[in-house]
Amino acid sequence: MFQTFETVSQPETGAARLADLRGALADAGLSGFLVPRADMYRGEYVASHDDRLAWLTGFTGSAGFCAVLPERAGVFIDGRYRVQVKSQIDLAVYDPVPWPETKLQDWLIENLPDGGEVGFDPWLHSFAEVDTMVAPLREAGIRLVSGPNFVDRIWADQPAPPMGLITAHPDDLAGESSASKRARLAEVLSHAGQSSTVITLPDSIAWLLNIRGRDIARNPVPHCLAILHADETVDLFAHPGKIDDDLRAHLGEDIRIAPMDAFDSALRALNGPVRLDRDNAPFRLTEILNEAGIAFEWGADPCILPKAQKTAAEIEGARTAHIRDGAAMVEFLTWLDATAPSGTLTEIDVVTELECCRRATNRLKDISFETIAGSGPNGAIVHYRVTRDTNRPVKTGELLLVDSGGQYVDGTTDITRTVAVGDVGADERRCFTRVLQGMIGISRLQWPVGLAGRDLDAIARAPLWMDGLDYNHGTGHGVGSYLCVHEGPQRLSRISEQPLLTGMILSNEPGYYREGAFGIRIENLIVVTPAPEGAVEAGRSMLCFETLTYVPIDRRLIEVDLLSKAEIAWIDSYHAEVLSRIGSHVSGPARTWLQAACAPL
């Protein structure tokens, strides 16, 4: 099994560890310290070695941070984790803080009225994160102090950094060679008059060099650092144990490989100006370049946008991976429908069987994230992870929310289906239908070129708003190509300003969550494509979405009377396509189940 069910969160240790940290800060003369969920590579996902936030507080969410002061310690969490955090931290010593509604600098000013010095590890924060706070904090007499990581000083049994082997990713699956990518980006640097750019994001380096890694569970990325030069060469910094002769041959002579401890001196030897990403590059990079007197300029990581616009080969790989994954999901749903009414299943049984179905494809490299299988009230925990302590029976008369995905060498999948176990209430069905209407609205949409995710997000929420409902997460995130299941810059979100571009893969996942009762989410992956000719006025350019995910939606939960004729037609057409694409890839019993599940409304 890729997924395990041990209880990782240890809220009972929070008070003692917090006391130890405060003692270390007092000895250093600091009034506080910031503990983000981040590592020096600035990716979303961290290895056990870098999971300082979870170790200190018990909170295991994928986003958040803690601010520790002498009298208060705040754990800042967004809308996805408002329920989860309550059960994972010691509420006697940690305060959940709604973020981004509450800005960190405002919280610090309120809780340090006499001023002071707040420490931070410059490898774990971007320049933008720090710079945003400096001026208002200075006015309040608070100074941010760059320095050592005090959590590491008190973490006696901190795990070692990961040492996964770095491997080649085939050019035919990437759709473009590394040499071609480097030439494209080097031209961007030359045009800007920049000599080089420092790249720290693991998925950016993986994309640029057509490599993959094993340092982060569920995400096939390597922990390494890179400097791309305007002459199309790259300096790659990685632990020697991660490099073998096959990788050296793949990288070629234009990629110079050096150990990690050579990175500092390499930075100091650069000729400026050096391009840095203000939002992603660790703050420490600016300190090193300033110390060496090397000019640098702000500019986006040049890998991010081209990585988001998938090649034709990557899109075709995604289609193939989704047929394979869809067949596994149908086998799983067939089993679930036959077994769940017995009342003998638990959430762990659900997770285990689903992984077995994906493994049976003989192509699964990993799951793309920890499977979410929330029955009844656990479904209302947006990023719920079942453990042996929380494992709950799958009861009849309740909803079961299953959010899962697979990592295949030709694509990354992410799908959510909410299903009825036996007969459920009219309220649940109405809420489900409103969520479904939002998902259909995004699926059917076409829009003028130039619009961003924030311009489309409300389409998914409008049916819920009609009933006074909403959800506290974005409607969709970008997805990588055998890379991270969460990828930027593309998003369907109220705060996303990135225009949607052809080739971008996103999730389409509106939801609704009623704490203590049930949760609903329906998710397909979609790819941005030009709108069909004939559907657009002459001289006007528009885009639309192609659906990648083909798995039935539970018809038992649909209140047909709430749907428009166009929505009914979309569901029937979608289910006909599911049957056509998936039917020949499943077993006899699953095909019989699929035919019934895909019957017209």
Side-chain angles (χ1 to χ4, degrees):
M1 288 289 294
F2 286 118
Q3 186 154 335
T4 61
F5 305 102
E6 286 74 24
T7 300
V8 179
S9 177
Q10 296 178 300
E12 68 277 5
T13 64
R17 291 172 178 176
L18 181 60
D20 288 344
L21 179 57
R22 282 174 168 154
L25 297 178
D27 291 343
L30 291 174
S31 306
F33 189 70
L34 306 181
V35 185
R37 189 186 187 273
D39 58 25
M40 67 182 292
Y41 308 98
R42 300 288 304 153
E44 178 181 0
Y45 303 94
V46 299
S48 299
H49 168 80
D50 300 300
D51 208 354
R52 299 172 180 87
L53 181 63
W55 180 84
L56 179 68
T57 68
F59 173 63
T60 63
S62 64
F65 55 92
C66 180
V68 175
L69 302 179
E71 303 298 329
R72 289 194 70 185
V75 178
F76 291 68
I77 35 82
D78 63 33
R80 296 170 294 174
Y81 297 111
R82 303 279 161 83
V83 178
Q84 177 178 326
V85 72
K86 298 174 187 177
S87 64
Q88 289 195 318
I89 64 174
D90 184 343
L91 295 171
V93 295
Y94 291 106
D95 300 321
V97 181
W99 174 83
E101 297 91 330
T102 302
K103 292 182 172 59
L104 174 58
Q105 57 266 35
D106 294 340
W107 187 89
L108 290 173
I109 292 168
E110 177 185 350
N111 290 285
L112 281 177
D114 298 326
E117 294 187 340
V118 176
F120 71 97
D121 182 338
W123 283 107
L124 307 186
H125 298 264
S126 71
F127 182 90
E129 290 172 345
V130 176
D131 186 59
T132 299
M133 297 188 291
V134 169
L137 290 180
R138 185 190 299 119
E139 291 181 8
I142 300 171
R143 189 167 75 93
L144 291 177
V145 179
S146 168
N149 195 301
F150 287 90
V151 173
D152 290 355
R153 289 190 174 186
I154 65 170
W155 192 352
D157 58 350
Q158 185 176 17
M163 290 295 164
L165 189 68
I166 303 174
T167 57
H169 183 61
D171 286 1
D172 61 339
L173 291 177
E176 185 180 11
S177 68
S178 173
S180 173
K181 294 176 181 179
R182 287 184 278 112
R184 278 204 288 151
L185 302 194
E187 187 175 351
V188 172
L189 295 177
S190 296
H191 183 74
Q194 297 162 345
S195 65
S196 58
T197 183
V198 183
I199 304 172
T200 62
L201 290 175
D203 58 336
S204 287
I205 298 173
W207 175 85
L208 177 65
L209 301 181
N210 284 351
I211 58 177
R212 297 297 186 264
R214 304 174 186 174
D215 287 327
I216 299 292
R218 320 296 174 240
N219 294 273
V221 295
H223 272 178
C224 52
L225 300 168
I227 302 173
L228 169 65
H229 299 274
D231 64 2
E232 305 179 18
T233 65
V234 168
D235 290 307
L236 178 66
F237 303 88
H239 189 281
K242 298 181 179 183
I243 310 292
D244 63 11
D245 290 341
D246 289 342
L247 182 69
R248 292 180 186 277
H250 166 75
L251 293 175
E253 296 181 356
D254 289 335
I255 313 300
R256 297 175 291 269
I257 303 173
M260 289 290 286
D261 58 13
F263 180 66
D264 186 289
S265 58
L267 277 183
R268 297 176 189 274
L270 291 175
N271 295 314
V274 178
R275 182 185 184 117
L276 294 181
D277 190 319
R278 195 174 187 275
D279 295 322
N280 293 316
F283 186 85
R284 179 59 183 153
L285 300 187
T286 65
E287 293 181 321
I288 294 172
L289 293 175
N290 281 329
E291 290 165 6
I294 299 169
F296 61 87
E297 298 174 352
W298 301 124
D301 175 338
C303 301
I304 288 179
L305 199 54
K307 171 169 56 68
Q309 291 186 265
K310 305 298 183 287
T311 64
E314 288 174 320
I315 293 171
E316 187 56 35
R319 293 186 185 113
T320 303
H322 276 84
I323 295 300
R324 182 186 311 121
D325 199 69
M329 281 293 301
V330 167
E331 296 285 357
F332 161 73
L333 290 171
T334 302
W335 167 85
L336 183 67
D337 250 16
T339 313
S342 68
T344 61
L345 291 183
T346 68
E347 293 167 334
I348 287 180
D349 295 329
V350 170
V351 173
T352 301
E353 180 64 22
L354 179 49
E355 185 171 320
C356 287
C357 290
R358 284 198 168 98
R359 282 181 175 274
T361 66
N362 295 317
R363 298 290 296 277
L364 185 70
K365 295 294 186 180
D366 199 342
I367 52 178
S368 56
F369 54 95
E370 300 282 282
T371 297
I372 299 165
S375 67
N378 285 346
I381 304 172
V382 178
H383 280 189
Y384 172 68
R385 175 186 175 271
V386 60
T387 69
R388 301 194 190 282
D389 293 334
T390 66
N391 190 26
R392 187 178 184 277
V394 177
K395 298 179 181 178
T396 57
E398 292 185 339
L399 297 178
L400 173 67
L401 186 157
V402 182
D403 186 351
S404 67
Q407 289 284 12
Y408 305 94
V409 71
D410 49 1
T412 300
T413 69
D414 183 0
I415 174 175
T416 308
R417 288 296 182 263
T418 303
V419 299
V421 182
D423 293 328
V424 300
D427 196 24
E428 286 92 327
R429 294 196 303 273
R430 184 179 183 90
C431 292
F432 180 92
T433 305
R434 291 306 192 199
V435 171
L436 176 58
Q437 287 177 298
M439 196 272 280
I440 293 171
I442 293 293
S443 302
R444 296 179 60 224
L445 193 63
Q446 65 180 36
W447 66 94
V449 168
L451 296 191
R454 68 180 181 186
D455 302 311
L456 277 57
D457 179 80
I459 300 296
R461 299 177 189 272
L464 287 156
W465 289 347
M466 290 169 60
D467 282 2
L469 310 175
D470 203 357
Y471 49 95
N472 294 327
H473 57 75
T475 298
H477 55 82
V479 179
S481 181
Y482 188 43
L483 277 174
C484 299
V485 74
H486 290 166
E487 176 184 87
Q490 69 275 31
R491 296 170 68 186
L492 294 174
S493 165
R494 293 166 176 168
I495 62 173
S496 177
E497 298 181 355
Q498 170 62 50
L500 297 176
L501 302 171
T502 301
M504 288 179 166
I505 296 177
L506 302 102
S507 65
N508 172 13
E509 51 179 313
Y512 174 67
Y513 312 92
R514 186 170 296 171
E515 185 174 352
F518 60 84
I520 298 165
R521 190 161 61 250
I522 309 170
E523 176 188 18
N524 284 347
L525 294 195
I526 49 182
V527 59
V528 180
T529 186
E533 291 186 17
V536 180
E537 180 184 32
R540 191 181 299 276
S541 298
M542 301 192 80
L543 300 172
C544 65
F545 291 120
E546 172 194 335
T547 295
L548 295 173
T549 307
Y550 285 97
V551 173
I553 296 162
D554 195 340
R555 295 163 66 259
R556 298 166 296 189
L557 287 169
I558 300 174
E559 291 283 8
V560 179
D561 291 345
L562 294 178
L563 301 177
S564 68
K565 290 181 179 179
E567 289 167 337
I568 292 172
W570 185 92
I571 294 169
D572 286 346
S573 175
Y574 176 74
H575 277 154
E577 196 68 19
V578 171
L579 184 58
S580 173
R581 291 174 182 248
I582 304 296
S584 62
H585 297 278
V586 296
S587 64
R591 191 176 303 112
T592 300
W593 178 90
L594 183 63
Q595 288 169 341
C598 292
L601 288 178

